[in-house]
Amino acid sequence: MSMPSHARRVKRLPRLRKRAGITLGFGSALASLSVTAWAQAAPPVAASAADAASAASTTTVTKLAPIVVVGTTPLLGIGTPLTLVPANVQTVRGQDIDRQHRHTLTEYFERNLPSVDINDAQGNPYQVNVNYRGFTASPVLGTPQGLSVFLDGVRVNEPFGDVVNWDLLPQQAIDTIQLIPGSNPTYGLNTLGGALVITTKNGKTSPGGEAEVALGSWGRKTAQIEQGGTIGQNLDYYVTGTATNDNGWAQENASRVRQGFGKLRYSDADTTLSLSAGGADNDLYGTQTIPKSFLDNRKQPYTYPDLNQNSAAYVTLSGDHSINDNVELSGNAYFRHFRNRNVSSNTNPDFGAVDDDGNIDTTQATNEQSVVSTDSYGASLQLTLLSKLAGMQNQFVAGMSADIANSSYTQSSQDAYFTASRATVGIGGFEQETAANTHNASYGIYFQNTLSLTQQWSIMLAGRYNWASANIGDASGTQPQLDGHHTFSRFNPAVGINWNPSPALTAYATYNEGMRSPTAIELACANPAAPCSLPNDFVSDPDLQPVISKTFEIGARGRIGVSTTWSAAAYSTTLENDIQFISSNGAASNQGYFQNVGRTRRQGFELSGRSQLGPLALTASYSYVDATYRSSWTESSPSNSSADANGNITVKSGDHIPGIPANMVKLRLDYAATPKWNIGTNLTWRGSIYAQGDENNQDVNGKISGYLLIDLDTTWQVTKQLQLWANITNLLDKRYATFGALGENFFNGPNHTFDGANPTNEQFVGPGAPRGFWVGLRYAWH
């Protein structure tokens, strides 16, 4: 069985070697829909020549189920046996993603992982919001982030806004992905609802190479190549590159994506050193949301152009060393450069307004341009001790981390007018409105201790002390109110207990806490008296309180026979001092401010299972999420039909949070028609959601309807080297929307031309992609 580096040496786990036939692997086979059923373990290993002779004469060998080891801290290390992990961890392997030939990583998450869905507010497949248990990881500045994302132990939430740019992750290089639920404090800041932990391939476990080309609907063309191998006994390497051009299914949502990644690694019996580097250079156009009255042509944009240009370069040095059988030291150091240039077209909400001198604002539109440039660097160190405590097996992990970032931010605005097709044409040049520099620093000290009280019972104690600071400075010399210094600190604890009455059943209960400090973009846009435009301009710098999460979870997982696995979990996460963007001119407006709004809660349960029935593999899940506000507050939402004369609505405790579906069902079938031909299908049903701006759940437009999607994929292994594949998404060509917001439609004239004097309140939606078809060819060599 091939094992990733951090679970590779059985000698590191002497306390586990006492059981014969142990197989170590990175993954959560019981808790995940994506992992195959537990394989049978290898025969017992003889300890001596006499034992070997005795074993050889034995006609019946008892085979034990393998021990599955998962990572429970950001740094790769020994890991923790799954039976001792009090959480419903999900694991995805790189080959699981390859098998379905998904265009983006987020598409795979949406179709396969329990409690995961997406909101497409940008109109580009690389820029969707990923929601897990009602918490979000988003590429959109200003979106409250609730999930932390790690790549090879390095946190990749961008320091400026905590955003996650999915297009920068090297999808082809992924070896495993873990989705860790809850407010696990060892993962540090932003782990309110969970952590997504990605590890990349290496040349030893991924030898050989392959090249692939694919094409199909909407002019999409993709080419990628990878190569891995060893150099002598101790060195291995891995490199990959991907290029994609996509015209987009809509009129103005083309994508150009370029990704590269490489790794050079040294390993011997006790030490591993790894140097990895990667980068990306991408152009992503979007269509925004469109009013429902535009759905006669779902491909048309509301206004355009809207462009995000993302580029990144990063390098990571990591390593681990086994000092002896019971002590391991691991660590990493990294540098990362990120640059985003955003150009967006907007209607002018002040069109027709009269100023104090009687002048009428006749500007139809504005073009906004912003640039974020960030250099971030940091290091982590972790010590793992395997020992006995009062005669009981014990694993103790302690670590520390430092993450520092310097960002510059500029924003400029240009008056514009609309053409007949709603493209904006600038009037004059761009005028700079904001220039700011920010400095972020985050330091953490954490520990985790797992004590096996008996063979059936274990207890886990963990905690982390976080200290974070954000300095904001005016770089223009004209906005001194931006200057500010903010610090946040807290100790976050966790406790969990596991019960393993048999090798086929684990039950657990856990409580943990997490913290998110306000980002620079939230701190610089938190004054109700001076609303700002996002992601455009900063105005002032008042204080916000950090968001604190408190999570309870109970669950169980197990197996039935050798071919069926299942898991079940129920959870409740309450946020104190949750931060919300309060629009000052309706939900479709990007002008407003950030505010602590009190408590919110996400609670629910998830059920999943997998079974192998001869040539047919079946995976299924159901998840329920009840996401509600637990405090009352008031916001401006004049497009909401229930708003008062001032355009305000009152959000009450118990109202549901927009954008989060209560119900989701996912089904995956894999059928091996022949040894060389496989057919697969995904059925994804998602329930209805409320639109942004309808936080009080009272708007007459109602919810955005739920939908059912069916996808098909097939693979034919022509030869050992050559593979052909094809897939179809949205087989029934379903018309659906994944996101909604209330706002004013300024295009009510003939053929949706500009009529700024008579805007109408409408529900805006983010339409889903129509049916698409692609074919590909992959050639592999060893």
Side-chain angles (χ1 to χ4, degrees), residues 197-465:
V197 183
I198 302 171
T199 58
T200 56
K201 300 175 183 177
N202 63 69
K204 186 169 289 186
T205 59
S206 300
E210 63 180 40
E212 179 176 304
V213 293
L215 54 86
S217 297
W218 318 318
R220 182 184 299 166
K221 298 177 286 292
T222 298
Q224 58 189 31
I225 189 169
E226 67 176 341
Q227 174 67 48
T230 57
I231 306 172
Q233 282 190 316
N234 301 114
L235 289 178
D236 63 78
Y237 68 94
Y238 174 82
V239 293
T240 184
T242 300
T244 298
N245 287 344
D246 187 345
N247 295 333
W249 68 268
Q251 293 175 13
E252 299 292 334
N253 69 339
S255 301
R256 172 192 171 277
V257 175
R258 303 290 185 267
Q259 297 175 341
F261 179 83
K263 180 187 292 184
L264 180 65
R265 207 174 61 123
Y266 168 87
S267 60
D268 59 29
D270 298 311
T271 303
T272 299
L273 291 174
S274 175
L275 180 66
S276 61
D281 184 16
N282 307 328
D283 295 338
L284 310 174
Y285 286 88
T287 57
Q288 308 177 25
T289 56
I290 62 174
K292 275 194 169 181
S293 59
F294 279 37
L295 291 179
D296 57 323
N297 176 10
R298 302 170 65 87
K299 296 183 178 182
Q300 63 184 311
Y302 183 60
T303 65
Y304 69 96
D306 288 273
L307 169 65
N308 269 290
Q309 294 176 305
N310 287 335
S311 61
Y314 51 90
V315 60
T316 304
L317 176 65
S318 59
D320 59 85
H321 176 67
S322 295
I323 298 174
N324 56 48
D325 282 356
N326 300 310
V327 181
E328 184 200 57
L329 189 66
S330 56
N332 68 15
Y334 71 91
F335 174 80
R336 180 181 178 89
H337 174 75
F338 167 69
R339 186 180 188 275
N340 166 264
R341 176 178 175 268
N342 172 273
V343 177
S344 60
S345 58
N346 300 295
T347 57
N348 177 19
D350 295 326
F351 179 85
V354 181
D355 64 19
D356 293 338
D357 297 324
N359 299 314
I360 301 175
D361 190 341
T362 60
T363 303
Q364 295 180 343
T366 61
N367 288 324
E368 309 289 346
Q369 179 177 273
S370 63
V371 177
V372 179
S373 181
T374 300
D375 289 328
S376 54
Y377 54 93
S380 299
L381 189 65
Q382 179 175 292
L383 178 69
T384 302
L385 301 176
L386 301 176
S387 61
K388 286 193 174 183
L389 181 64
M392 296 174 286
Q393 300 292 345
N394 191 71
Q395 183 189 63
F396 177 76
V397 180
M400 62 181 67
S401 65
D403 299 278
I404 300 169
N406 296 304
S407 300
S408 65
Y409 176 87
T410 59
Q411 180 272 333
S412 303
S413 182
Q414 176 191 50
D415 290 342
Y417 65 90
F418 290 108
T419 67
S421 63
R422 297 187 299 282
T424 56
V425 178
I427 302 172
F430 281 89
E431 294 185 8
Q432 182 173 291
E433 296 184 349
T434 301
N437 294 324
T438 65
H439 175 80
N440 295 86
S442 174
Y443 302 95
I445 301 175
Y446 62 89
F447 76 92
Q448 177 177 288
N449 193 84
T450 304
L451 177 65
S452 298
L453 302 171
T454 68
Q455 289 187 342
Q456 289 79 34
W457 291 91
S458 64
I459 187 170
M460 182 276 295
L461 296 173
R464 181 180 180 120
Y465 177 78

Side-chain angles (χ1 to χ4, degrees), residues 291 302 585-589 637-640 692-693 701 741-746 759-764:
Y302 183 60
N585 195 34
S589 168
S637 185
S639 296
N640 189 313
Q692 285 189 3
N701 289 298
L742 305 182
E744 288 186 313
N745 179 11
F746 284 78
T760 59
N761 293 326
E762 283 199 55
Q763 186 184 86
F764 287 61

Side-chain angles (χ1 to χ4, degrees), residues 117-121 127-131 659-661 686 689 738-739:
D117 73 290
I118 66 166
N119 296 147
D120 187 0
Q127 292 186 291
V128 299
N129 296 350
V130 174
N131 303 313
I660 302 173
R686 195 190 86 166
I689 59 174
T738 66
F739 176 80

Side-chain angles (χ1 to χ4, degrees), residues 671-723:
Y671 178 67
T674 72
K676 294 186 176 181
W677 181 29
N678 186 81
I679 303 170
T681 184
N682 286 83
L683 282 75
T684 307
W685 178 77
R686 195 190 86 166
S688 59
I689 59 174
Y690 287 100
Q692 285 189 3
D694 191 19
E695 282 76 14
N696 65 345
N697 308 160
Q698 297 295 316
D699 184 69
V700 295
N701 289 298
K703 298 180 180 179
I704 291 87
S705 300
Y707 54 85
L708 171 68
L709 299 178
I710 301 176
D711 302 336
L712 295 177
D713 58 84
T714 184
T715 301
W716 177 32
Q717 198 68 40
V718 182
T719 68
K720 186 177 180 180
Q721 291 78 28
L722 183 63
Q723 178 189 97

Side-chain angles (χ1 to χ4, degrees), residues 578-616:
D578 201 0
I579 296 176
Q580 182 91 12
F581 182 69
I582 309 298
S583 173
S584 62
N585 195 34
S589 168
N590 67 344
Q591 191 165 78
Y593 57 94
F594 290 96
Q595 174 181 301
N596 292 111
V597 296
R599 290 185 178 183
T600 61
R601 179 175 296 156
R602 285 86 166 163
Q603 60 186 7
F605 62 90
E606 51 202 19
L607 306 171
S608 62
R610 187 184 193 280
S611 187
Q612 186 75 42
L613 307 172
L616 178 66

